Amino acid sequence: MLILLPPSEGKTAHAEGSPFDLADLSFSQLTGERHQVIEALTEVSGRKDAMDLLGVGASLANEVARNINLHTEPAAKAHDIYSGVLFEALGYSSLSPKEQQRADESIVVISALWGAVRFGDRIPPYRLSMSVKLEPLGKLASWWKKRLTPVLDEAASDQLIVDARSSTYAAAYKPSNGNSVAVNVFQLRNGVPKVVSHFAKHTRGEVARFLVQQDIEPATPDELLQLIQTKWEASLIEDKKGLALNILLPADHQFTTAK
């Protein structure tokens, strides 16, 4: 099973640690492409109009400036760098050693900078969204799509792919093996299912945590549904984008954070 996640927009900086090494990252076939994006990001981040080009506000100037020194910034494992609602719900640090190993083996984070990384890969914090048009590469989702597709299709083979990405990051790779399921989240409001983006991030993190806690991985969409239905109200639907697992939260749903 592969679980595809988006990165968090915010990243946790670390005061100590050696810099990253491209040669040590998973999916080594992407080394050349990663180098190209780093070069482009370094150049753009040093420009006066960097904030506009990267689509961020003035409050994030320090994070953009950090892009210029990626090769010297302290790096840490991806599960320590990515933060935010989804990753807090996943709660990697509170998983058992066996569960953490499953997370390291099954979770792939789709990244505008790295293309794809696993939880054990050491990376520095950075600021770059997949929605950015990065000179001279163009729109990153399109640029990465043709490069990620053969690499991730090979990594996935015929495994079940549980796709918990946001639409921005889903645009960079569409699984081709016919055994993938997107995770959608709705909440009942006045008796009607409504899309809830904040709850969606949190619930997708909970789903990822739940899956790596299982001793037996689901191998098909039907097996995934049966497993998910032991914890959530859920159904499988076929839409124009493919097969989707729709999770329906009750009207009184509240956040719970992994401890």
Side-chain angles (χ1 to χ4, degrees), residues 42 65-73 124:
T42 300
R66 190 183 290 131
N67 288 340
I68 301 171
N69 301 307
L70 290 175
H71 285 289
T72 58
E73 284 287 320

Side-chain angles (χ1 to χ4, degrees), residues 98-99 102 210-217:
K98 183 180 289 187
E99 292 164 354
R102 292 194 194 109
F210 178 70
L211 291 176
V212 301
Q213 288 177 317
Q214 308 307 309
D215 290 329
I216 300 177
E217 295 181 352

